[in-house]
Amino acid sequence: MFEQAIIDQIGKHKFSDKDKVLHAYRQNASQLVVEIKGILFPDSAQDVKIIIQLANQYHKSLYPIGTGKNWGLGSRLPVGNGAYIVDLKRMNRIIEVNETHGYAVIEPGVTQDQLYQYLKARQLPFILNVTGSAASTSIIGNALDRGIGHFGPRVEDISNLEVVTGNGQVIHTGMGRFHNSKTTSLYPYGIGPDITGLFFQSNFGIVLKASVQLLFQTELSGVIRLTLKDYANLVPFMDQLIALRRAGVFHATIHLSNPSRSQSVLSPLLFDQFLQKYNDLEKAKQKTRIYMKQHVPPLWSANLTVRGSSAAVKQAYHQVKKQLAHLATVQVETVQSRQRALRRTRIFSFLPGMKERSLFLKATNGVFGHSQGIPSDDSLKSVEWEGKMEKSSFSVELDKLDVGTLFVLPTLPLSGNAVKDVMKQTHDIMKEKYGFIPYMTFNMINERSIEAVINLVFDKQDDQKSRLAHQCIEEMQATFIEKGYIPYRTGIQLMDQVYPKQTPYDGFYQQLKQMFDPNDCIAPGRYGYKQ
């Protein structure tokens, strides 16, 4: 029996099929229902090897997760029924941080907050390419699913994988296969065919560790904030941003957000500050409404981070302002400018609006911190907000909320017209047809493409709303695929949509699967393929 063999070989404390534990893993922000057989908790590479060996012997399915924060896309759930979840959170060792070349070698359970705290405690001159998601998210797990960091795609940060494949073999990618290589974590490609990419968004094996590139600290890091004056100018506004990016004025990801996204992120953070100050729910609601209406207008906005010398940051700001001031308001924020602004609010606290300004600065510390490589949970509060202000606090435990969220994540060519087209499709389907508020962010990740992050929020207690939410996302993803905007990630319930069956790709993938995982033990159905 598989479960008894697991207990005998890796320990009773590393397996659970208790109802309470299974219930916690079944909870998910997407309101999906998937049967789980049990949870495995390896804490070493040897444990993982044994688990895979036994899964092959007893013909069981395994579904590995880092920390399981895949909210809106399935959370911790496997693609199909009957799998055992392999929760890698106990494999959370930071094996090395190289202080000369700026990289870390970590296990899949290492979170972005854990690595940030490690760097901070040792005062190392590096920052992490953080995401806007929870501080407790797995760095490797997010990167393997091609998540987006504040400064760029996480997939570009990861190399030197150590993987146990479904047949039990241990593989090192890149230069890692040479035991005496001096560039294992420095030169990601290796020599000969590079197989690293086979383990992103696939089901060939379980990653045991990887190298993560860190960013070197610079003299100054600033956020240029642009607020579009007129929605009618969105296309020329985008085209000017594209020209600046291609001219090398900045290199980090540009984040373009619709008003619903900006309002839902900032409102609960400001509300929390007002509630702490006044300890009065109704007054906090009123103060939040007034401040947001006066100071955060419902307009499209973009944030871009510029890093370098003080002179380089100032030059980038002036170039952006010169090109875009006729289309958008342009402001720049740095750690130093925020500190000066906070001091002014204290000195001039007797003036109208200064106390509120101080609270807003405090409220946005976490969101601003992303530009400094500091992870935060603050953006997660937006899911429960949805502009209603019906609660006295907002949770970041998204799987446990009464409201759910679902994402659709298309890729676009880098052009203002493509952005406008995706926005129109989203408005027509999500808002007009199904009646949901669209929350949209467009991430300009390089000089040629954009990744869109679009989600809705729905009442999980309302069966009809839940059904409509799923229909909406399924229709949107199908529409985007038909129009050529293929998603870069997808929810577990829609993975069949993105897998090209009965094609040369399908045939080649099956051959690889047969080679790496002949018994289909690892994540059957992940991104479409299953025997």
Side-chain angles (χ1 to χ4, degrees), residues 25-50:
Y25 278 77
R26 290 190 192 106
Q27 286 185 306
N28 65 95
S30 303
Q31 193 74 337
L32 297 168
V33 179
V34 179
E35 178 195 347
I36 303 167
K37 289 289 189 180
I39 317 297
L40 303 165
F41 302 99
D43 61 16
S44 68
Q46 185 60 27
D47 283 350
V48 175
K49 294 173 191 175
I50 292 171

Side-chain angles (χ1 to χ4, degrees), residues 18 21 39 114 149 235 301 398 400 433 437 440 447 516:
K18 294 179 179 178
V21 175
I39 317 297
Q114 182 184 349
V235 171
S301 59
L398 303 192
K400 299 178 181 179
K433 182 173 181 178
I437 298 172
M440 293 186 274
E447 290 82 7
F516 286 122

Side-chain angles (χ1 to χ4, degrees), residues 241-250 414-415 447-449:
L241 279 176
I242 291 166
L244 289 166
R245 173 66 190 257
R246 288 174 174 169
V249 175
F250 48 85
L414 187 55
S415 79
E447 290 82 7
R448 295 175 179 83
S449 63

Side-chain angles (χ1 to χ4, degrees), residues 84-100:
Y84 290 84
I85 292 177
V86 182
D87 190 334
L88 301 167
K89 66 183 179 183
R90 295 181 185 175
M91 293 180 63
N92 62 352
R93 287 172 280 269
I94 298 172
I95 298 166
E96 176 192 3
V97 172
N98 187 285
E99 298 182 23
T100 301

Side-chain angles (χ1 to χ4, degrees), residues 90-158:
R90 295 181 185 175
M91 293 180 63
N92 62 352
R93 287 172 280 269
I94 298 172
I95 298 166
E96 176 192 3
V97 172
N98 187 285
E99 298 182 23
T100 301
H101 299 291
Y103 65 81
V105 180
I106 61 173
E107 292 183 327
V110 173
T111 68
Q112 51 181 6
D113 185 61
Q114 182 184 349
L115 185 52
Y116 163 72
Q117 295 296 344
Y118 183 99
L119 299 174
K120 181 181 177 182
R122 290 158 181 78
Q123 298 183 323
L124 299 178
F126 309 113
I127 63 173
L128 179 65
N129 180 22
V130 300
T131 71
S133 188
S136 58
T137 53
S138 162
I139 297 170
I140 289 178
N142 178 263
L144 291 177
D145 211 22
R146 300 200 177 104
I148 301 300
H150 188 85
F151 300 99
R154 278 270 184 85
V155 67
E156 296 175 3
D157 301 336
I158 299 291

Side-chain angles (χ1 to χ4, degrees), residues 164-322:
V164 185
T165 62
N167 61 17
Q169 288 185 317
V170 178
I171 294 176
H172 294 83
T173 70
M175 291 298 188
R177 60 194 173 99
F178 297 94
H179 73 275
N180 65 338
S181 170
K182 295 183 183 299
T183 55
T184 296
S185 298
L186 308 179
Y187 186 79
Y189 315 108
I191 184 168
D194 180 18
I195 64 171
T196 304
L198 291 177
F199 300 101
F200 289 87
Q201 292 186 341
S202 72
N203 55 2
F204 297 145
I206 297 177
V207 175
L208 302 175
K209 66 179 181 180
S211 297
V212 180
Q213 301 303 310
L214 304 172
L215 295 166
F216 292 91
Q217 284 183 349
T218 58
E219 179 187 349
L220 191 64
S221 178
V223 178
I224 299 176
R225 304 193 187 283
L226 305 104
T227 303
L228 189 63
K229 296 176 181 177
D230 187 343
Y231 173 73
N233 291 324
L234 180 66
V235 171
F237 173 72
M238 282 294 301
D239 290 340
Q240 288 289 339
L241 279 176
I242 291 166
L244 289 166
R245 173 66 190 257
R246 288 174 174 169
V249 175
F250 48 85
H251 302 283
T253 299
I254 301 172
H255 309 276
L256 175 71
S257 300
N258 74 337
S260 296
R261 173 79 75 206
S262 301
Q263 297 274 330
S264 69
V265 169
L266 297 176
S267 294
L269 305 179
L270 183 58
F271 172 81
D272 283 347
Q273 290 293 322
F274 280 128
L275 189 59
Q276 289 177 35
K277 180 175 178 59
Y278 297 110
N279 196 28
D280 183 321
L281 185 62
E282 291 306 316
K283 189 170 185 178
K285 291 178 181 180
Q286 182 185 23
K287 287 281 189 180
T288 301
R289 289 192 189 99
I290 293 171
Y291 191 92
M292 293 296 292
K293 184 176 181 180
Q294 292 178 344
H295 300 282
V296 188
L299 301 169
W300 281 79
S301 59
N303 294 332
L304 59 101
T305 299
V306 286
R307 303 172 67 247
S309 67
S310 178
V313 171
K314 289 177 182 176
Q315 183 180 13
Y317 166 66
H318 289 305
Q319 285 184 267
V320 171
K321 190 170 184 178
K322 180 180 178 181

